[in-house]
Amino acid sequence: MSHYCNVELELRDIDALVLALLDMGFVRTEIEVHSEAQPLYGFQGDLRPEKAHVIIRRQHVGDSSNDLGFVKDPVTGRLTAIISDFDQTHVIGRHGGTYGQAWVDSLSKAYAVRDSIKLGMRDGYGRVIKQESRADGSIYLRLGRG
């Protein structure tokens, strides 16, 4: 049985997280969103004590995987990723790597882009004029009205 690790993120918006997961290669029907946290399951279908609000079930993660989850803290509103040790080091996902720190960093970048676009839309700047990945790993995003 794999041990789950909690990875605290600077993410707060579930809608932007779902869009970021789509950008990472998941399909919308593979992403569960729950108002009340639901249990995660291990690679053998065993019920785990960990619960999450956003869940990608193990069959969509990779061979011999556990569920991936994201739980929202009721006080701070921050999301924490719940990823098993095994999935962080052994499972090769659709993106070509494991679900370790590099994947979490890529997800955080995808989230930042989606969250920025959402905030821009709120302020009337919902059109992406330019999006560019830079050599230093940062992403340049220019939004326009319309």
Side-chain angles (χ1 to χ4, degrees):
M1 177 181 334
S2 293
H3 170 73
Y4 275 108
C5 294
N6 292 342
V7 181
E8 195 166 306
L9 306 169
E10 290 297 325
L11 317 181
R12 296 178 190 276
D13 186 295
I14 287 179
D15 293 333
L17 170 62
V18 169
L19 292 171
L21 288 166
L22 293 172
D23 292 342
M24 298 291 290
F26 290 100
V27 177
R28 181 61 189 99
T29 56
E30 299 171 344
I31 304 167
E32 298 177 16
V33 178
H34 304 278
S35 55
E36 186 173 320
Q38 299 297 307
L40 299 179
Y41 291 88
F43 74 99
Q44 294 178 319
D46 51 312
L47 184 67
R48 304 299 300 262
E50 295 86 357
K51 293 183 177 184
H53 293 95
V54 178
I55 301 171
I56 301 166
R57 297 292 178 192
R58 64 190 190 284
Q59 64 267 25
H60 305 299
V61 176
D63 292 337
S64 300
S65 292
N66 302 277
D67 290 350
L68 293 179
F70 300 86
V71 63
K72 189 166 187 123
D73 185 288
V75 176
T76 66
R78 290 174 78 177
L79 290 158
T80 298
I82 305 170
I83 307 170
S84 75
D85 286 339
F86 182 80
D87 294 325
Q88 289 183 47
T89 56
H90 293 88
V91 172
I92 303 299
R94 294 184 183 148
H95 60 286
T98 61
Y99 293 93
Q101 191 59 52
W103 183 81
V104 170
D105 292 345
S106 294
L107 178 63
S108 294
K109 283 183 188 178
Y111 172 90
V113 169
R114 291 301 190 157
D115 193 46
S116 295
I117 292 169
K118 183 177 179 180
L119 292 173
M121 288 178 71
R122 183 192 68 196
D123 295 335
Y125 294 90
R127 188 168 57 93
V128 177
I129 294 173
K130 185 175 185 179
Q131 181 176 335
E132 163 186 304
S133 295
R134 298 203 166 156
D136 65 358
S138 65
I139 297 173
Y140 172 78
L141 186 64
R142 184 172 169 200
L143 302 177
R145 290 194 185 274

